[in-house]
Amino acid sequence: MNSEKRDHLFLDDLHVGQTFTSPSHRLDTEQIKRFAQEFDPQSFHLDENAAAQSLFAGLAASGWHTAALTMRLLVNGGAPIAGGIIGAAVEIAWPKPTRPGDELHVVSEVEEIIPSRSKPDRGIVVLRSETRNQRSEVVQVLTSKLVVPRRQSSGKK
Amino acid sequence: MNSEKRDHLFLDDLHVGQTFTSPSHRLDTEQIKRFAQEFDPQSFHLDENAAAQSLFAGLAASGWHTAALTMRLLVNGGAPIAGGIIGAAVEIAWPKPTRPGDELHVVSEVEEIIPSRSKPDRGIVVLRSETRNQRSEVVQVLTSKLVVPRRQSSGKK
């Protein structure tokens, strides 16, 4: 994965409708089972035969694995926010399963920018991030409320 | 962690206000850094000195780590749902950071039960899960829409 730093954006640099595209990550069976073993040990994430009989009709990654990988892709260029990606709250939907062999990337769009009234040095940005597979199917929709700093514009410089 | 199976509950067995308490899990610095390295490589999850200067004022676990651990605790007895814990959508808030040494457990409450109109064999359960530390402070609130099967009540038995 690409971890080079790009110019990071402050609240003042963002506008509604602005989009970002992350690098991509290929998921395989070993990664799916390893994550599930540690954090979501349910048979449809661990065993092909059990998964075939389940609601998923085949081995599927834990939704929390998809979420964690999405974060990795946002950190690695998918959301170049100054000060880092700090979520106060999120909503997630998983419209389709993530499967072994899926190559995921994340396309994000700034939906709302809300300067803080009480803390003039920051604001909240609502970012909608779609995690898409190699067929451009959306496997996860993440809507995040991120804490984003403003550029320092006080007298000292 | 406790992984023994308890009687698992179908949609028909659940009622609004029903609560469940998970086993607990102790988080340490090594686990926090290992998760962050793989999924959320930001300095406030990886480096004590950088974290001290950040919004978190000290090393903090990735919110996605808290979320993944919460899932583990739900699977390990914190939400004894028949057919497994299958989330269609969730909301998460992180009111306080999770720190090294925190001992987490999850207290869940059934908020709503919605039988499916189109699929009579299942329904949606809205479960609110608070992840609490050893001081009973809430570090995460997860509200999940879970797909839960009904008991088979057709003639065949």
Side-chain angles (χ1 to χ4, degrees):
Chain A
M1 275 183 291
N2 173 8
S3 65
E4 75 188 56
K5 287 238 171 183
R6 295 197 287 163
D7 285 335
H8 282 192
L9 303 171
F10 290 85
L11 195 74
D12 320 73
D13 304 320
L14 297 168
H15 62 266
V16 171
Q18 198 165 0
T19 61
F20 309 105
T21 300
S22 79
S24 65
H25 177 82
R26 188 173 180 281
L27 203 56
D28 62 23
T29 301
E30 186 273 334
Q31 293 169 53
I32 288 175
K33 292 185 180 180
R34 183 162 52 85
F35 185 97
Q37 197 71 55
E38 185 166 3
F39 295 114
D40 191 353
Q42 301 193 90
S43 60
F44 32 79
H45 303 317
L46 288 169
D47 179 86
E48 281 82 354
N49 292 330
Q53 308 301 319
S54 77
L55 200 69
F56 294 104
L59 197 73
S62 169
W64 301 106
H65 193 182
T66 304
L69 280 173
T70 296
M71 185 63 187
R72 174 74 193 223
L73 292 171
L74 291 174
V75 170
N76 279 6
I81 306 291
I85 303 172
I86 300 178
V90 299
E91 294 178 23
I92 314 176
W94 294 283
K96 289 183 86 76
T98 301
R99 305 286 192 185
D102 275 4
E103 178 131 2
L104 303 179
H105 70 286
V106 184
V107 178
S108 299
E109 180 170 347
V110 175
E111 285 203 328
E112 206 176 342
I113 299 171
I114 310 159
S116 171
R117 290 182 188 199
S118 58
K119 293 172 180 161
D121 63 341
R122 68 187 71 165
I124 293 286
V125 169
V126 180
L127 192 71
R128 178 189 160 95
S129 300
E130 292 189 354
T131 305
R132 301 180 187 169
N133 66 20
Q134 66 281 9
R135 291 179 297 279
S136 293
E137 296 165 336
V138 177
V139 296
Q140 180 184 281
V141 181
L142 167 70
T143 307
S144 310
K145 289 187 177 167
L146 303 176
V147 181
V148 179
R150 304 197 78 134
R151 277 188 192 284
Q152 292 190 322
S153 55
S154 63
K156 54 174 178 170
K157 229 176 203 173
Chain B
M1 275 185 292
N2 173 8
S3 64
E4 73 187 57
K5 286 237 171 185
R6 295 200 285 164
D7 285 335
H8 281 192
L9 303 171
F10 290 85
L11 196 73
D12 319 73
D13 304 320
L14 297 168
H15 62 265
V16 170
Q18 198 165 0
T19 59
F20 310 105
T21 300
S22 79
S24 66
H25 177 83
R26 189 173 179 282
L27 202 58
D28 62 23
T29 302
E30 186 275 333
Q31 294 169 54
I32 288 175
K33 292 184 179 179
R34 181 163 52 86
F35 185 97
Q37 198 69 56
E38 184 164 4
F39 294 114
D40 191 352
Q42 302 192 91
S43 60
F44 32 79
H45 303 315
L46 288 168
D47 179 86
E48 281 81 355
N49 291 330
Q53 308 301 318
S54 77
L55 201 68
F56 294 103
L59 197 72
S62 169
W64 301 105
H65 193 181
T66 304
L69 279 173
T70 296
M71 185 63 186
R72 173 74 193 224
L73 293 171
L74 291 174
V75 171
N76 280 5
I81 307 290
I85 303 171
I86 301 179
V90 298
E91 295 179 22
I92 313 176
W94 293 284
K96 289 183 85 77
T98 301
R99 304 288 191 184
D102 275 4
E103 177 133 2
L104 303 179
H105 70 286
V106 185
V107 178
S108 298
E109 181 170 346
V110 175
E111 285 202 326
E112 206 177 341
I113 299 171
I114 310 159
S116 171
R117 289 183 189 200
S118 58
K119 292 172 181 162
D121 63 341
R122 68 187 72 166
I124 292 286
V125 169
V126 180
L127 192 72
R128 177 190 160 94
S129 300
E130 291 189 355
T131 305
R132 300 179 187 170
N133 65 19
Q134 65 281 9
R135 289 179 298 280
S136 292
E137 296 166 336
V138 177
V139 296
Q140 180 184 279
V141 180
L142 167 70
T143 307
S144 311
K145 289 186 177 166
L146 304 176
V147 182
V148 179
R150 303 197 78 136
R151 278 187 191 284
Q152 291 190 323
S153 56
S154 62
K156 55 176 176 171
K157 236 181 200 169

